[in-house]
Amino acid sequence: MAPNVLRYLLVMLAILLPLQANAVLKIEITGGSATALPIAIVPFGSEGYAAPENVSDIISNDLASSGRFAPVEKRDLISQPHESQQVNFADWRLLRSEGLLIGKVSSQDGENYQVQFQLFDVYKAEQLVGKRYNVPASGLRNLAHQIADIVYETLTGEKGVFATRLAFVTEMKNADGSKRFALQVSDADGANPRTVLQSTQPIMSPNWAPDGEQLTYVTFENSKAEVYVQQLSSGRRNSVASFKGLNSAPAWSPDGKKLALTLSKNGNPEIYVLELATGNLSRVTHNSGAIDTEAVWMPNGREILFTSDRGGRPQIYRVDAEGGRAERVTFEGGYNASADISPDGRTMAMVHAVNGRFHIAIQDLQTGAVQVLTDTTADESPSFAPNGRMILYATEQKGRGILAAVSVDGRIKQRLGESGSAVREPAWSPFRR
Amino acid sequence: MKKAFVENFLAGSYSLLLHLALVVLLIVGLESTSTPQLASDPSVEIVQATVLDEVMVEQEMARLEEIEQKERDEEKQRQQQVEDKLKQTQEELARKEREALDLAERAEMEKQRLQKEAEAEKLRIAELEKQRAQEEQKKLEAEKQRQLEEQRKQKAEQERIAAEQKRKAEEEAKAKAEAERREQEAAKAKAEAERKAEEARKRQAEEEAKRAEEAKRKAEEERKKAEEAKRKAEEERKRAEEEAKRKAAEDAKRKAEEARRKAAEQMIQDQLAAEAAESNRRRVAGVLNIYAQQIQSRVKQYWSKPANAKAGMLVTLEVKLIPGGDVRSVKVIKSSGDPVFDRSAENAVYKAAPMPMPSDPDATQQILSEGIQFEFKPE
């Protein structure tokens, strides 16, 4: 009997083996490329009065500028639907776009506009998001940025920063050779700049309050460096630090209650913390032989990063906000300064000099790995976007300061704004609350 | 019989009572008639005696005598009438009380008239009394006679009743005797009938018993026959069974041999088939291996990995294709938990369509029937 069973099993095995081969084919896809998502943005339809802003163009530019999206060229758009029932999804699949945005702008009086949009997943033929708004003409641009934020967040899972703002200092030369300085605030794309302060004397180091409603900056308008805090909505401002000597590089704490700043009232530039409500001042660094400046708060609000040349060359150090021993953070290269920290506290951006050329670089605070992001040569003042994806900075083009931004992976580099003046020391606002 | 006797007796009693009642009534009537004679008052006669003269007395005496004669005749006649009447009354025993009362009434009227006449009479009272006494005596005797007659009649009636009763008793006795005789005869007939019935029963029982015996005997015979048949059938069955067993065993043996032969053939065939299948499998596997690389690079090329994809993320998709290589369905069978990451993988598959198909038809068939499972990982 046993040999029979054995024989039978062998036969069965032989028969079953090909079935095993019929198992589902498994394919593993790893790596991939963080390529821009193709998205079809159909120019929004218009009804009634023409809008003073091209809403769909603003959205398209926002998304493209982020480097995360590759809007389909307008000439490649197969059709121009403005309503969902006009959409033939098969057309859009041929374009291999991952999203389809359609919308409409209408106005009965040229003053108030109704804007509606819908974002579709073309492969599943379903709406991902759709909204409708009523705004005055003046609100159209900001609304376009908000829609771009919604599209961005829907398709990437991260918050968009298109409706945030930038603060920066411009410098213009008058005909007589004298200079005119202005503190300006623009949209995140550099457009729509508004001047919040003008002076014939230099303005420096603007920095946003966490609520996005106030700015602190350094002004020489009284012929010496002073630190001011200004309310954006009212323009009301007041001096918070005008000690003897240097008052510079203010940085708002994450809770909005304190400023870290550089004072030389005791002879040597040191980092201090100023409590805004009380005016109480506490000294953080004690190093009489070196300059300690450009303080920035870690997101946890307990530590401060700053630039110091205590080691002979400027490097980034970290110190407890209560004071204490500072530890050096940067070791790569002979020049690392002007630190900013990503919202998650993991990535530090800085000005990093290589062979006498100043680039924006990032350093992973856990691994210490440094990655140079820019190939421009006179970069300064890096500032993280509130979603941590982009870094705003100033650089020079043809000897003139301009605004630029680079994605944290270095793939996206863009110039912001087309102002006729030299631009310096930009700062990216927090999210709107 | 007894009832008849009682009825007769009662009838007799009633007639006797009726007779007694009539007698009583008659006596009462007679007493009332005689009362005025006994109650004559002497004081009245004294007043009229003062005016008497001889002539007048003579005349008067003559007139009185005439009257008296007349009266005597009348009385006699009357007496006769009374007697007649009494006699009549006696004869009409069945007449009712009212007639007796009529008689009494007439007697009363008579009494009144007599009283008036008695008032006119003054001097002849004694005579009258004497006569009357005599008449009374006669009357009493007559009455006595009548009573005797009555008694005789009653006696005769009683005798008659007694005779009647005797006759009735005799008749009853006779009837009773007759009835008894009949009863005895009936009893006798009944006994005879019973005897006959008993005999019939006995005869029937005997027949029954006989029949039962016969039936039993027959049943026994049947049983024996059945047993015999059963035994035979059993033998037959056993024989058939044995035959069947033998045949089955032969069949089984033959079949087993057949099966062994076939199994041997089958095994050779199976081995050949298995070798062919294995060879085919190797071929298909080889084709699919190359195909997988093609698909992998194509899908990877179309995958826009989200910038925020983190190490450790993994989404598994089940993809079904149609013959042209277009995507029929994409199903997330294990999500990464991040909808954006999942969608990027799904879209990569859609964008990679139409997929190339293997050149080998077996491999193509397998891809079409089983689909492809994709695993997307950021790194």
Side-chain angles (χ1 to χ4, degrees):
Chain A
M1 212 60 185
N4 274 345
V5 172
L6 202 63
R7 227 182 306 165
Y8 181 74
L9 284 177
L10 281 172
V11 168
M12 287 309 292
L13 204 63
I15 291 166
L16 284 173
L17 274 172
L19 288 177
Q20 272 188 326
N22 277 333
V24 180
L25 182 65
K26 287 184 182 171
I27 297 174
E28 195 173 282
I29 311 289
T30 49
S33 52
T35 53
L37 287 178
I39 180 170
I41 300 171
V42 177
F44 282 11
S46 179
E47 283 175 13
Y49 282 78
E53 304 279 0
N54 189 324
V55 173
S56 48
D57 274 2
I58 295 169
I59 295 167
S60 186
N61 289 338
D62 279 350
L63 294 173
S65 74
S66 72
R68 305 286 294 277
F69 291 89
V72 174
E73 292 287 332
K74 276 184 189 175
R75 64 169 183 273
D76 292 337
L77 295 175
I78 290 164
S79 57
Q80 304 255 321
H82 302 307
E83 312 260 1
S84 59
Q85 59 265 31
Q86 297 167 340
V87 174
N88 181 359
F89 289 104
D91 290 349
W92 302 102
R93 283 177 201 138
L94 289 175
L95 284 178
R96 296 197 160 83
S97 65
E98 297 211 359
L100 168 66
L101 181 71
I102 65 169
K104 227 164 51 174
V105 179
S106 54
S107 176
Q108 302 302 318
D109 54 10
E111 291 172 5
N112 294 293
Y113 287 82
Q114 191 185 61
V115 179
Q116 65 176 62
F117 78 92
Q118 287 171 284
L119 176 65
F120 297 100
D121 179 328
V122 299
Y123 297 104
K124 289 184 190 148
E126 64 184 22
Q127 179 180 307
L128 294 169
V129 63
K131 286 183 190 293
R132 187 179 300 221
Y133 306 86
N134 282 298
V135 292
S138 63
L140 280 168
R141 173 165 283 271
N142 189 256
L143 176 62
H145 291 315
Q146 286 180 41
I147 294 172
D149 279 341
I150 291 168
V151 172
Y152 182 94
E153 186 168 359
T154 302
L155 295 178
T156 68
E158 294 176 357
K159 288 189 80 168
V161 295
F162 306 118
T164 57
R165 290 156 293 165
L166 311 177
F168 47 86
V169 177
T170 60
E171 180 187 321
M172 295 181 80
K173 272 187 183 157
N174 293 322
D176 62 354
S178 62
K179 288 177 179 176
R180 189 151 46 87
F181 299 89
L183 176 59
Q184 294 195 318
V185 171
S186 74
D187 290 352
D189 58 2
N192 195 23
R194 291 84 80 187
T195 298
V196 298
L197 179 70
Q198 281 197 90
S199 173
T200 55
Q201 300 301 315
I203 303 170
M204 294 169 69
S205 306
N207 184 275
W208 291 89
D211 63 6
E213 301 293 332
Q214 302 170 85
L215 282 171
T216 180
Y217 52 83
V218 176
T219 171
F220 284 80
E221 59 197 77
N222 296 326
S223 301
K224 60 171 291 233
E226 280 180 89
V227 175
Y228 272 79
V229 166
Q230 180 168 337
Q231 192 81 29
L232 281 179
S233 55
S234 64
R236 199 163 51 82
R237 63 185 194 131
N238 55 304
S239 170
V240 296
S242 59
F243 298 99
K244 183 167 71 77
L246 198 62
N247 297 273
S248 68
W252 230 299
S253 67
D255 65 5
K257 291 176 179 170
K258 290 166 277 188
L259 294 181
L261 69 177
T262 303
L263 303 176
S264 64
K265 63 189 183 82
N266 293 321
N268 196 54
E270 302 282 355
I271 305 296
Y272 288 79
V273 168
L274 173 68
E275 201 170 350
L276 285 169
T278 62
N280 285 345
L281 201 60
S282 62
R283 185 170 168 177
V284 179
T285 60
H286 303 268
N287 198 315
S288 53
I291 297 170
D292 295 337
T293 187
E294 296 174 340
V296 58
W297 294 80
M298 289 292 283
N300 63 19
R302 294 195 303 270
E303 292 165 306
I304 290 169
L305 299 172
F306 65 97
T307 306
S308 174
D309 63 351
R310 63 183 68 186
R313 305 277 298 168
Q315 296 292 352
I316 312 291
Y317 292 78
R318 173 161 48 195
V319 68
D320 195 294
E322 309 272 305
R325 213 179 110 85
E327 57 168 341
R328 186 170 162 176
V329 177
T330 52
F331 295 93
E332 200 167 308
Y335 182 99
N336 292 292
S338 300
D340 194 21
I341 189 75
S342 66
D344 64 7
R346 290 183 177 184
T347 308
M348 182 177 69
M350 63 211 177
V351 176
H352 175 74
V354 180
N355 299 330
R357 292 171 181 173
F358 297 94
H359 302 290
I360 302 298
I362 53 171
Q363 179 172 334
D364 186 314
L365 284 184
Q366 284 178 313
T367 65
V370 173
Q371 182 187 355
V372 176
L373 299 180
T374 62
D375 44 20
T376 42
T377 57
D379 303 344
E380 58 153 46
S381 302
S383 173
F384 273 101
N387 68 355
R389 280 287 150 201
M390 299 287 289
I391 296 167
L392 175 69
Y393 63 101
T395 187
E396 276 186 11
Q397 195 175 48
K398 296 173 185 170
R400 200 162 62 97
I402 58 163
L403 288 183
V406 63
S407 61
V408 288
D409 59 9
R411 290 191 305 109
I412 312 299
K413 296 182 185 75
Q414 57 186 160
R415 233 194 110 174
L416 300 175
E418 285 295 338
S419 107
S421 48
V423 183
R424 296 195 61 198
E425 301 206 290
W428 209 317
S429 79
F431 286 117
R432 274 179 193 273
R433 297 203 174 166
Chain B
M1 287 293 268
K2 194 176 177 184
K3 195 179 171 192
F5 170 78
V6 169
E7 276 170 4
N8 285 337
F9 177 78
L10 284 175
S13 302
Y14 289 144
S15 67
L16 188 64
L17 284 171
L18 199 56
H19 282 100
L20 286 171
L22 287 171
V23 171
V24 168
L25 280 171
L26 196 61
I27 292 166
V28 169
L30 288 176
E31 275 178 354
S32 358
T33 324
S34 59
T35 304
Q37 292 165 324
L38 294 171
S40 50
D41 195 348
S43 64
V44 176
E45 294 171 40
I46 296 161
V47 173
Q48 287 179 346
T50 56
V51 288
L52 284 173
D53 71 85
E54 221 50 42
V55 176
M56 276 182 73
V57 168
E58 290 278 284
Q59 287 171 331
E60 189 62 28
M61 277 302 283
R63 200 192 49 99
L64 279 173
E65 251 171 72
E66 195 184 346
I67 290 166
E68 197 167 330
Q69 186 60 44
K70 200 180 167 186
E71 278 185 354
R72 260 192 312 271
D73 293 347
E74 281 173 2
E75 179 69 11
K76 196 175 176 182
Q77 203 177 345
R78 194 187 54 88
Q79 284 284 356
Q80 187 61 46
Q81 281 173 348
V82 167
E83 274 174 20
D84 288 350
K85 274 207 171 119
L86 279 170
K87 200 174 177 184
Q88 203 180 340
T89 303
Q90 282 166 354
E91 284 164 2
E92 294 170 3
L93 281 171
R95 279 180 69 182
K96 294 174 183 175
E97 191 181 5
R98 189 180 55 78
E99 280 167 313
L101 284 171
D102 285 350
L103 190 64
E105 210 169 314
R106 269 196 302 278
E108 178 67 16
M109 280 159 64
E110 188 62 19
K111 187 192 96 181
Q112 281 171 358
R113 192 183 58 82
L114 284 174
Q115 271 176 336
K116 279 173 191 169
E117 285 168 355
E119 279 170 7
E121 293 171 346
K122 290 171 189 157
L123 300 175
R124 63 169 185 95
I125 288 168
E127 184 66 22
L128 280 173
E129 274 180 8
K130 186 183 158 189
Q131 280 178 350
R132 275 176 199 156
Q134 282 169 347
E135 282 164 14
E136 187 67 22
Q137 187 61 36
K138 274 180 195 166
K139 262 197 241 175
L140 284 170
E141 274 172 14
E143 179 64 15
K144 196 177 172 184
Q145 195 66 34
R146 193 192 55 81
Q147 278 176 354
L148 283 171
E149 178 66 14
E150 182 69 16
Q151 279 168 359
R152 191 190 54 76
K153 273 186 184 169
Q154 280 178 3
K155 196 181 168 189
E157 181 66 17
Q158 278 167 358
E159 276 166 2
R160 194 190 56 79
I161 288 167
E164 179 72 9
Q165 281 173 347
K166 193 184 167 192
R167 190 186 54 80
K168 274 184 184 167
E170 276 168 6
E171 275 174 9
E172 276 167 12
K174 200 176 161 190
K176 196 180 169 190
E178 179 67 11
E180 275 170 5
R181 189 187 57 77
R182 279 186 192 147
E183 267 173 25
Q184 280 169 1
E185 273 173 13
K188 204 171 154 192
K190 196 183 167 193
E192 179 67 11
E194 276 172 2
R195 188 186 59 76
K196 278 183 181 165
E198 182 64 18
E199 271 173 14
R201 240 191 333 269
K202 266 184 191 166
R203 210 165 41 246
Q204 205 177 345
E206 275 164 15
E207 278 169 10
E208 288 286 332
K210 227 162 141 189
R211 270 202 296 278
E213 184 65 20
E214 179 69 10
K216 197 178 163 190
R217 193 185 53 76
K218 273 187 183 165
E220 183 65 13
E221 271 174 18
E222 292 289 330
R223 191 185 58 76
K224 276 182 182 163
K225 264 189 206 165
E227 266 176 14
E228 180 66 11
K230 195 179 163 190
R231 192 183 54 77
K232 275 185 182 166
E234 182 69 12
E235 277 172 10
E236 187 65 25
R237 191 184 60 74
K238 275 183 184 163
R239 205 164 51 240
E241 239 173 40
E242 274 161 18
E243 179 69 11
K245 265 186 199 165
R246 193 184 53 77
K247 268 189 183 166
E250 276 174 12
D251 275 4
K253 199 177 161 191
R254 193 172 47 74
K255 274 184 187 162
E257 274 166 14
E258 179 81 0
R260 263 198 295 281
R261 192 179 55 76
K262 272 190 181 163
E265 280 173 13
Q266 186 64 44
M267 203 169 72
I268 293 165
Q269 279 178 7
D270 285 349
Q271 278 168 346
L272 288 173
E275 275 165 26
E278 175 62 16
S279 140
N280 192 49
R281 189 188 67 78
R282 283 205 200 94
R283 183 175 52 77
V284 169
V287 168
L288 287 179
N289 194 32
I290 295 163
Y291 176 70
Q293 287 172 24
Q294 290 176 340
I295 295 291
Q296 186 184 43
S297 74
R298 184 174 174 87
V299 172
K300 193 170 172 177
Q301 180 194 329
Y302 281 101
W303 184 26
S304 300
K305 186 178 69 172
N308 57 339
K310 291 178 185 69
M313 276 182 168
L314 172 67
V315 60
T316 306
L317 306 179
E318 185 188 79
V319 177
K320 293 285 171 76
L321 300 177
I322 58 176
D326 269 317
V327 173
R328 190 174 79 201
S329 67
V330 178
K331 203 165 101 189
V332 175
I333 57 175
K334 189 167 177 287
S335 170
S336 67
D338 178 349
V340 171
F341 187 77
D342 288 359
R343 191 164 58 234
S344 76
E346 291 174 84
N347 287 345
V349 172
Y350 282 118
K351 286 194 283 184
M355 306 280 187
M357 292 305 278
S359 52
D360 184 275
D362 287 345
T364 299
Q365 191 49 48
Q366 191 189 317
I367 292 299
L368 292 177
S369 63
E370 303 295 329
I372 305 171
Q373 189 171 304
F374 286 95
E375 281 187 351
F376 284 77
K377 294 175 183 171
E379 56 196 42

